[in-house]
């Protein structure tokens, strides 16, 4: 299977984000830029016209990004974590809490598609070594991951298929309601 034919596993939220970016570029940003370039082209000498030169360059960037987004969406296989059957095991879309046996610290990660990476939010790609080590495991399992600093061991302490932040917000809201 060629790299361009590789499946693009993605969550429904990730697919919606790709679609939103595509439509924003196609329906808002590109038409506005075409107007600027058209206006700049009417101003005469294009060789020293910054608006024209920058605008044409930006149009090429937008068109390239639109092609990329279209290819990614065409290859997308939407995997909804809410439909997961084995909720005790780690699969695509899961929020997984790991306890580092080496550093004695806890981290929570979500296994997502390649187009959804956001390390600052804990979103890691399903093809990353850490995610691959977690897939199919369950709470209590210990996984080993090769890292640049050496091999790391983690214990899986939690698996959820709902948004961890949303769950925490709901718990806080329920606690406030219970106090009233």
């Amino acid at each position: 299977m060629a790299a361009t034919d590789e499946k693009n596993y993605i969550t429904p939220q990730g697919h919606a984000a790709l679609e939103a970016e595509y439509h924003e570029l196609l329906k808002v940003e590109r038409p506005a830029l075409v107007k600027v370039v058209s206006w700049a082209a009417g101003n005469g000498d294009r060789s020293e016209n910054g608006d024209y030169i920058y605008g044409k360059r930006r149009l090429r960037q937008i068109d390239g990004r639109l092609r990329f987004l279209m290819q990614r969406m065409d290859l997308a296989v939407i995997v909804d974590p809410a439909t997961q059957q084995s909720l005790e095991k780690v699969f695509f879309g899961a929020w997984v809490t790991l306890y580092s046996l080496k550093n004695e610290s806890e981290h929570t990660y979500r296994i997502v598609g390649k187009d959804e990476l956001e390390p600052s939010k804990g979103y890691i790609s399903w093809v990353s070594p850490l995610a691959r080590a977690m897939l199919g495991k369950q709470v209590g399992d210990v996984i080993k991951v090769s890292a640049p600093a050496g091999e790391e061991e983690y214990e899986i302490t939690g698996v959820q298929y709902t948004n961890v932040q949303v769950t925490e917000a709901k718990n806080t809201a329920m606690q406030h309601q219970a106090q009233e």
Side-chain angles (χ1 to χ4, degrees):
M1 187 181 270
T4 56
D5 295 335
E6 183 178 299
K7 293 289 184 193
N8 178 28
Y9 294 108
I10 193 165
T11 63
Q13 301 88 353
H15 193 266
L18 289 182
E19 284 182 328
E21 181 183 357
Y22 181 84
H23 289 292
E24 174 71 19
L25 289 172
L26 184 66
K27 302 291 185 188
V28 178
E29 194 170 333
R30 191 176 194 289
L33 194 55
V34 166
K35 287 180 185 175
V36 170
V37 170
S38 180
W39 167 82
N43 287 339
D45 185 12
R46 296 177 186 172
S47 64
E48 294 182 15
N49 187 330
D51 287 330
Y52 179 80
I53 294 168
Y54 170 76
K56 290 294 281 186
R57 182 180 308 138
R58 182 67 185 130
L59 276 174
R60 285 190 300 274
Q61 291 170 343
I62 289 172
D63 290 343
R65 182 67 181 167
L66 287 170
R67 279 190 302 278
F68 172 80
L69 291 170
M70 182 56 73
Q71 289 171 346
R72 297 306 290 167
M73 289 187 295
D74 285 348
L75 295 173
V77 175
I78 300 172
V79 180
D80 190 353
T83 62
Q84 194 57 252
Q85 298 298 315
S86 297
L87 296 178
E88 69 280 352
K89 290 194 174 189
V90 177
F91 294 110
F92 185 87
W95 288 91
V96 184
T97 303
L98 299 177
Y99 179 76
S100 172
L101 300 175
K102 181 179 181 181
N103 301 327
E104 296 185 1
S105 60
E106 198 170 75
H107 304 280
T108 301
Y109 299 99
R110 184 174 190 203
I111 301 174
V112 296
K114 296 177 191 177
D115 296 321
E116 302 175 85
L117 292 178
E118 277 194 63
S120 63
K121 287 182 158 183
Y123 289 20
I124 61 171
S125 170
W126 67 276
V127 295
S128 70
L130 181 59
R132 286 203 179 269
M134 290 190 282
L135 290 172
K137 303 294 192 282
Q138 58 191 12
V139 173
D141 288 349
V142 174
I143 60 170
K144 293 180 183 180
V145 180
S146 293
E151 191 168 84
E152 299 267 348
E153 286 189 337
Y154 299 95
E155 180 180 352
I156 298 174
T157 59
V159 177
Q160 289 182 287
Y161 285 92
T162 57
N163 188 326
V164 172
Q165 289 108 3
V166 170
T167 303
E168 289 173 2
K170 284 182 182 176
N171 288 343
T172 303
M174 288 191 322
Q175 289 172 352
H176 288 297
Q177 288 176 348
Q179 291 173 354
E180 293 176 353

